[in-house]
């Protein structure tokens, strides 16, 4: 399914792997491996319309003008800590990408995201930037991360997640209508603790076995 702002990747392999990841009986190591595999498939979708050019290549038979990616290396930006699970798989596919990290925590009084780490590649204004975070829940940290990237000059930003809640998609659409979202599924809702339902639980905990 594709709307202007939201693409849901309905590919059978994506949906099958996502179902395995949702299952609470799936062990940590398998969960991590599935996330890596699924991120290859999501990477394929989120990079579908990257700018292209051509270059001359000598094949063993003749010279041709062959397609190649245009412009500077793209930038992948992981929203810590769960973003790292998607990042690893993305890097399998795009090993020369430049990598950034955004760390945000939620202030318990104001409930607003506060930055604790920020390191991104230079010349973001000349790169396609893909921000990655498996769970688009309230959208607070995602929208804040995208704002930081824009402050660093990024103008061509895409957001890649595994699961999205309608609330998060709406938030992102209002805050950053220019940032397309690619996800494997749009779930029903958020619960009172801000978890996506039915979801898969805490992606970071499932990935790293911290619970
Ligand atoms: N973050 C998670 O890891 N899981 C959710 O369901 C929501 C936010």
């Amino acid at each position: 399914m594709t709307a202007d702002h939201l693409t849901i990747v309905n590919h059978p392999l994506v949906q099958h792997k996502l179902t395995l990841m949702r299952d609470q009986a799936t062990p940590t190591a398998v969960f991590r491996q599935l996330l890596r595999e699924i991120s290859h498939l999501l990477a394929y979708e989120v990079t579908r319309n990257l700018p292209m050019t051509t270059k001359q290549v000598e094949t063993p038979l003749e010279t041709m003008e062959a397609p190649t990616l245009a412009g500077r290396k793209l930038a992948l930006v992981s929203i810590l800590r769960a973003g790292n699970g998607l990042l690893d798989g993305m890097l399998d596919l795009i090993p020369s990408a430049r990598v950034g990290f955004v760390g945000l925590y939620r202030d318990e009084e104001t409930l607003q995201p506060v930055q604790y780490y920020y390191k991104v590649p230079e010349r973001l204004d000349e790169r396609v930037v893909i921000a990655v975070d498996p769970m688009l829940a309230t959208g607070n940290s995602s929208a804040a991360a995208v704002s930081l990237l824009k402050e660093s000059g990024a103008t061509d930003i895409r957001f890649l997640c595994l699961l999205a809640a309608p609330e998060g998609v709406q938030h992102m659409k209002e805050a950053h209508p220019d940032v397309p979202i690619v996800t494997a599924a749009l779930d029903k809702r958020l619960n009172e603790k801000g978890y996506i339902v039915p979801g898969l639980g805490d992606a970071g905990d499932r990935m790293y076995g911290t619970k």
Side-chain angles (χ1 to χ4, degrees), residues 5 30 33 35 41 44 62 64 70 73 85 118 122 127 135 141 145 150 164 170 191 193 206:
H5 193 252
V30 179
Q33 178 60 27
L35 183 56
L41 299 160
Y44 180 84
E62 66 174 19
M64 72 173 286
K73 303 271 185 281
Y118 187 71
E122 57 176 17
R127 302 181 193 275
M135 310 300 271
S141 56
K150 287 184 175 175
Q170 188 58 29
N191 72 10
K193 291 186 173 155
R206 301 265 336 254

Side-chain angles (χ1 to χ4, degrees), residues 172-187:
M172 282 288 279
K173 191 169 184 171
E174 283 164 14
H176 301 293
D178 55 319
V179 175
I181 298 167
V182 173
T183 186
L186 179 62
D187 272 10

Side-chain angles (χ1 to χ4, degrees), residues 82 133-138 163 190 193-205:
D133 187 351
M135 310 300 271
L136 176 55
T138 61
L163 279 185
L190 291 180
K193 291 186 173 155
Y195 280 90
I196 299 176
V197 178
L200 50 72
D202 186 299
D205 285 343

Side-chain angles (χ1 to χ4, degrees), residues 23 30 35 41 51 60 65 75-76 78 88-89 114 140 149 156 166 175 184 186 188 190 193 211:
D23 186 343
V30 179
L35 183 56
L41 299 160
E65 277 299 313
L76 304 176
S78 167
D88 290 343
V114 181
N140 287 339
L149 295 172
D156 186 348
L186 179 62
K188 269 195 305 207
L190 291 180
K193 291 186 173 155
K211 207 165 181 190

